[in-house]
Amino acid sequence: MANAPIPMIAGNWKMNLFHNDGHALANDIAEKMLGRVGPSVDVAICPPLTLTGSICAFLSATPLRVGAQDCSPLQTGAHTGDISAEMIANLGCACCIVGHSERRRDHGETNQVVHAKAESVQRTRMTAIICIGETEAERNAGKTLEVVTKQLQESVPEGSGSANAVIAYEPVWAIGTGRTPTNAEIAEVHQHIRDLLFEMFDYDGYAIRILYGGSVNEKNANEILRVPHVNGALVGGASLKADTFWQIIEAVPKPSEVSAPVRVKA
Ligand code: 13P
């Protein structure tokens, strides 16, 4: 059994929180992290862009990382309202979410756009958190693995690896609904993603983190984070309160509790 990757818990604040509440939340989580004793875990928060610069500045000396929720695929120029990955990196961000299903839904983002965004994130040396996941209709039609395969193969750039890419499997129907797949369903998809990453990136495919996202909370985190090939969580609603987000971080298993069998290439 190879060493499992260090788990990651990322909070996606989406379009929530103004200055005071956002700063207080970031501060609370950073304080808890400074006093934490427990298994290694990378923790990131992804505030709305209005707060990113100021939160990056005051968290710079703490282990809490800051990410963005989206970026333009373009580097510079006449693109009113857009923000490039370079600008986000320049604020001090460590990572940027791309291809979230809400962006795919609200802004018609295709796998090709997501691929271009991930590449621009990786050019800056930030980590791209690349989101994929099936809709409820696709799951009911038995197409989950087919959909996830196409999204992964078309959205993840060739130059990806464990140093610059994280995959987030977020079933669209589980986001913000309080519904989650069964552990067996999560295990099936994460194993499938792991196999695809192995095909695409050889043994480094085993070190690329695969996060689960969709209605993760302080009650179900313990079980979900122990599903094989679940290397952490991308958390929405439950990341907006320090207590619930912290309980999810505390639910991260010790390396000895994680089973993630590695295949050998024929
Ligand atoms: P919820 O945790 O609110 O379901 O959101 C998940 C998500 O979309 C994280 O990116």
Side-chain angles (χ1 to χ4, degrees):
M1 200 169 86
N3 287 340
I6 292 176
M8 178 179 200
I9 304 292
N12 175 7
W13 294 4
K14 308 193 180 184
M15 199 168 70
N16 292 296
L17 301 180
F18 291 104
H19 184 279
N20 289 355
D21 289 342
H23 277 243
L25 176 56
N27 192 57
D28 283 354
I29 299 162
E31 266 185 3
K32 286 175 188 290
M33 283 199 69
L34 288 170
R36 180 173 183 274
V37 185
S40 291
V41 54
D42 289 336
V43 181
I45 51 172
C46 303
L49 210 51
T50 45
L51 305 182
T52 308
S54 54
I55 289 183
C56 276
F58 89 80
L59 290 182
S60 64
T62 77
L64 179 55
R65 297 175 189 191
V66 183
Q69 300 175 13
D70 178 48
C71 68
S72 168
L74 305 167
Q75 279 178 281
T76 186
H79 305 288
T80 302
D82 285 345
I83 303 288
S84 70
E86 282 78 4
M87 290 168 168
I88 288 165
N90 188 245
L91 293 175
C93 282
C95 53
C96 180
I97 299 170
V98 294
H100 193 282
S101 65
E102 288 153 11
R103 302 272 334 157
R104 292 178 185 259
R105 180 196 68 201
D106 296 348
H107 300 272
E109 291 186 5
T110 60
N111 291 335
Q112 288 65 38
V113 169
V114 176
H115 183 282
K117 290 187 175 200
E119 265 184 345
S120 62
V121 170
Q122 292 173 340
R123 255 198 316 268
T124 68
R125 299 186 182 276
M126 289 190 294
T127 295
I129 302 178
I130 305 165
C131 302
I132 58 175
E134 82 285 0
T135 62
E136 183 151 41
E138 289 163 344
R139 175 161 284 273
N140 291 341
K143 293 199 167 142
T144 299
L145 297 185
E146 189 187 317
V147 168
V148 162
T149 301
K150 188 169 162 64
Q151 287 179 330
L152 191 86
Q153 288 176 339
E154 293 185 357
S155 307
V156 177
E158 300 65 38
S160 297
S162 54
N164 64 8
V166 169
I167 309 301
Y169 168 57
E170 300 205 308
V172 178
W173 53 274
I175 295 176
T177 58
R179 294 162 57 207
T180 54
T182 63
N183 291 343
E185 286 167 340
I186 297 174
E188 181 191 31
V189 179
H190 277 242
Q191 178 68 62
H192 182 70
I193 294 171
R194 181 64 73 210
D195 289 345
L196 290 169
L197 291 173
F198 186 41
E199 274 169 30
M200 293 162 78
F201 302 109
D202 213 357
Y203 286 99
D204 194 37
Y206 269 98
I208 296 178
R209 289 181 280 203
I210 310 172
L211 312 184
Y212 169 78
S215 294
V216 175
N217 59 38
E218 70 285 8
K219 296 190 188 77
N220 60 23
N222 208 59
E223 272 194 28
I224 291 174
L225 293 171
R226 281 161 180 77
V227 172
H229 297 294
V230 171
N231 311 119
L234 183 54
V235 185
S239 73
L240 295 173
K241 294 224 158 58
D243 277 359
T244 49
F245 192 54
W246 189 250
Q247 286 178 57
I248 294 167
I249 293 163
E250 291 284 87
V252 165
K254 296 191 196 78
S256 59
E257 292 175 75
V258 176
S259 113
V262 172
R263 286 194 325 184
V264 175
K265 257 199 178 159

